Amino acid sequence: MVDHPPLNKISRRTALALPLGLAALSGTIFSNGFAKADEPVRGGTMVMIVQPEPSTLAHYAVTAGNIPPIATQIYEGLVTYDWDQNPQPNLATSWETAPDGKSITFKLREGVVFHNGKRFTSADVQFSVMEILKKYHPFAPLLLAELTGVDTPDEMTAVLRLANPAPYLMKGLAGRDLPIMCKSVFEGTQILQNASANKPIGTGPFKFGQWDRGQFVRLDRNDKYWKPGLPYLDHIIARFIPDAATRSAALETGEAHFAGYSAVNYADLARMKTNPILDTTMKGYEMTPALSVLELNAKHPPLDKKEVRQAIAYAIDRKVILRDVMYGYGKPATGPLSSLFKTVGFYTDDVRKYDVPDRLDIANKLLDGAGLPRGANGMRFGMHLEVNSFGEQWLRQAEYLKQALAIVGIDLTLRSEDTATWLRRVYTDYDYDINEPFLSQGVDPVYGLNKQYLTSQIRKGVTFVNDSFYANPEFDGILNEAMREQDHDKRAVLYKKAQQILAEDCPLVWLIDVQYVSVFNRKLRDHTTGPLGTQQAFERAWLET
Amino acid sequence: MWQGFARFARNRMALFGAAVLLCLLLLVVLTPVIYPDDPFKLAGPALQPPGGSFLLGTDTLGRDVAAEIAYGARTSLIVGVGATLAAIVIGAVAGGVAGYYRGMTETVLMRITEFFQTIPAFIFALLIVAILSPSVSSEIIAIAAVSWPSIARLVRGEFVSLGGREFVQACAGLGASDARIIFNHMLPNCASSIIAVGSLLIGTAILLEAGLAFLGLGDPNVMSWGLIISAGRAVLRSAWWICTFPGVAILLTVLGINLIGDGLNEALNPRLRER
Amino acid sequence: MRLARYMGYRLVTALPVIFGIIVLNFLLIHLAPGDAASVLAGESGAATPEYMDALRHKFGLDQSLGMQFLTYVSNMAHFNLGYSYRNDADVSSLIFERLGPTSLLMLTAFGTAVALGIILGLVAATGRNSWRDNIISLISLVAYATPGFWLGLMMIVIFSIGLGWLPTSGFDTVGAGHEGWAEVWDVARHLVMPAVSLALFYLALYARLMRASVLEQTGMDYVTTARAKGQTERRIMTGHVLRNALLPIVTIAGVQAGNLIGGSIVVETVFGWPGIGTLAFNALQSRDLNLLLAIFFMSACLIVIINLAVDVIYVMLDPRMEI
């Protein structure tokens, strides 16, 4: 893994340049006489691989992970984030949270126009947030739960009014999570049936060009983009190639320049790194934490016993999964939060540890103690494991789990159904013992923890919420308090406590702290310029000629 | 028919096919002795190339590819033979009844047969596996469901041409029941064509099974060649052996079965006899 | 004239069959568990029950099966294939987009396979049990027994990465802005590998079939008679055998045309070819039932038409055939 892709050379230089008083020139720093090879060139077409093809580009109503790489080129958010995940001006130039935390006032940028020529004003923010996102965005019940209204005292000011403080909101204002749409496009229409769903209109550096289904989406340079001189590229083509081996081949032959979000199979990365025209980076996923886990159905004995759940957590060797299934990308998960939250101080590994040397002995003792002796064939009891349908690697993981649990006397039968059947069985019928999902954790612990563990999130028919029937009033109280606590350090204490409780109760088994990887052609420069990586605009990306 | 087998025995290609199949059967029988362990067992380090301590190397999880192929042979044969037998039973009954009774019965049965032929076969198989949840038995059902119409058409055609033959009319004249005529007299007369077509179907079924597993719809609890290939596909470029050996196994098996099928076809079909 | 009346009769009798197909397909497809709303919501991470309800209402999934069926049939009666909510697009336009690439791939692969297969089969049969027969038989058997995706992946490794002759995947070079002959050349380069990997399978099949068919015909009495009358072997072959030997090829080609839509899924997947096969596969995976039904319906119509065409060709090849 290369720690310093070309874009980082720029950011390191920028950092060096700052003390010399060049900060004011940062906008022009690229054209400021560095070695010629580092000088951005206008023009060119960048081809990126997006996998799988999105079913829709209605970014405001569907949050599938394959939409943002395209949609964030078109829709922008109020802010962007720097590498330390601090908000930076974008459509909003400044903002201020009221002392009681119940309102946030945004000053908006003048001179921004949508791709249809309409001026961007506070009315667009109000309409986007209240009429579209609050009503139709799948995460709104979490992200925008406290939002009661948006005031527009003047054309260039928008005030988000909140019922209670929502400190996590400041982490979710980028184009990926809170895109700003054009009011006049949506007003008076059925939002979910709007014609711009697949011909998106935003303020971003690229305009929607063409979508040939099964092949590509073409984005064209927005010549009237509000950042002067940007973007550098003339076009971005998002190509869809269903077969993993063919995706790798397209990068190796130079047909495609960029593949983010682990569109390239982990198994191929070693070969990619030896290819002279390619390089890889793990940067750009700092705000995309995710864990692979096992959900244990507490309604199905003996999984109702804490000891049994803990025994399962002890029985699994996460290092084997990491090495043989994830090809070394990621880390063994230590608890319910991704270690990426270390940057913002919410993560702790001061919890019950399951990755200990004598873990098999502990697991066997726990199971013996739970009154589950081994039968004649060495097995204590049998369970079904629902295999995640979103990719081959999950079947590999399931095959390993079957072997690992057999050692402590748990006989797993794998069930691998297609996505629709799997989701129905697990989240609607609750007809499962152990489930093998992959959980995105959002930009703040609120997203990942609340939806997965709160008693109120046991919601039949809703996917990826609390389906393991974890219900702990004490824990619920801590999480609700942490959600509204404005003081960062107090929040951190509360989340530490929450992680300790969860690790002890073990409603889920946390397996791997997932690490995404981008593969890119060395000719493509400045593609990963912030912690949102592929899920933010490629406005500064350029191609060496 | 015995003369037919004698003719078969003189066909060198067919004998080669029979030898391949025999080796395969031998492998299936001996597998529990050679590889007493579960083929899913993590036997050693991952991605060992062939020739070392593992004859055909290990896969991404460190499982012995040779053991996987040995166990996969059984699955492939069960699916291939099972699906073909099921298709032959359904097809022979539907085609036989249609060809024997003619008239309205024939029209209805043949329309149903046609309906099954209008659905794109592979997608239909995928749909059935999705409905039934992936397992060896649902793979057999799915493959049988897309294969029986061709048998039905074949049997119907043969029955129609047999219908006017003297021996059938003689049986009917002697008061034999319909079922007796169909099963004891007419079906044995189509046996040679059914055997020839059926043997080819086994090969097709094995390929279909690999295709289903390639798209992730195989039985995850039972080792099969398709499963090995779909698992090894991700590392095709860096660990060629995982995909190659089961691929060769499929190739040889289907080749062997088809050679036998060809041989049977020539041996049992009187018009193809060497003059 | 008789032929025209016959075709009219066949088309009219095909209508009830097609209606039956519509009904059966509808029921069959609704047997698959799960629905489009949960798949869409599943891809989105979490969603509220209200959001799921809104989706189901939008998709019409909150109606009874009977109502859904009536809507579907009335749409069909108005030649409206419906709306793919999952793709936010008309089913007809989704299918239409894929029709060009699919037909191009199919006609190229299938046409080449049938034509070459006939020639190879004939060559093999006329030199029965000679070295060329054995080689053709062996090669076609190996081609037939090779899993298509394996062959495709190998070709990419050799011709795209190793030699750099051909592009790895796709229909044309996106964004290259080729026009005229440059575009034709570009598409052709993309077409080569998928067409070859698809054609090899069918080629093997038709070569084998043709060989068997020719051999069967040469054993017929009329050939002996012709020989007795002193006709040359060449004349016998072109005048009698070939014509009769083609009949089973036409039949099987007709049957197989129905499998063309689904049969290329694997090849389309490997080469990223924007065909109807992958469209159907994705529709099945995401329970996009309107789209899947429309593809099944199209396939049924195609087969009915092809069967009719086959019968007509039969009549033309074999005048003794009744109509």
Side-chain angles (χ1 to χ4, degrees), chain A residues 20 88 165 345 517:
Chain A
L20 299 173
Q88 299 295 316
V517 183

Short mmCIF file of all heavy atoms in Angstrom, two decimals, chain A residues 20 88 165 345 517:
data_model
loop_
_atom_site.label_atom_id
_atom_site.label_comp_id
_atom_site.label_asym_id
_atom_site.label_seq_id
_atom_site.Cartn_x
_atom_site.Cartn_y
_atom_site.Cartn_z
N LEU A 20 4.81 29.92 5.21
CA LEU A 20 5.51 30.92 4.41
C LEU A 20 4.58 32.03 3.94
O LEU A 20 4.96 32.85 3.12
CB LEU A 20 6.16 30.26 3.19
CG LEU A 20 7.19 29.19 3.53
CD1 LEU A 20 7.63 28.48 2.26
CD2 LEU A 20 8.38 29.82 4.25
N GLN A 88 -15.63 22.51 6.01
CA GLN A 88 -15.02 23.59 5.23
C GLN A 88 -16.08 24.22 4.35
O GLN A 88 -17.01 23.53 3.92
CB GLN A 88 -13.89 23.04 4.35
CG GLN A 88 -12.76 22.37 5.11
CD GLN A 88 -12.00 23.36 5.97
OE1 GLN A 88 -11.67 24.46 5.55
NE2 GLN A 88 -11.75 22.97 7.23
N PRO A 165 -30.53 19.72 20.64
CA PRO A 165 -29.22 19.82 20.00
C PRO A 165 -28.91 18.54 19.22
O PRO A 165 -29.26 17.44 19.64
CB PRO A 165 -28.25 19.98 21.17
CG PRO A 165 -29.08 20.46 22.30
CD PRO A 165 -30.45 19.91 22.09
N GLY A 345 -12.21 10.73 18.40
CA GLY A 345 -12.16 10.48 19.84
C GLY A 345 -13.31 9.68 20.42
O GLY A 345 -13.49 9.64 21.63
N VAL A 517 -10.43 0.16 -0.67
CA VAL A 517 -9.21 0.50 -1.39
C VAL A 517 -9.59 1.10 -2.75
O VAL A 517 -10.54 0.66 -3.37
CB VAL A 517 -8.34 -0.75 -1.62
CG1 VAL A 517 -7.04 -0.38 -2.30
CG2 VAL A 517 -8.06 -1.46 -0.30
#
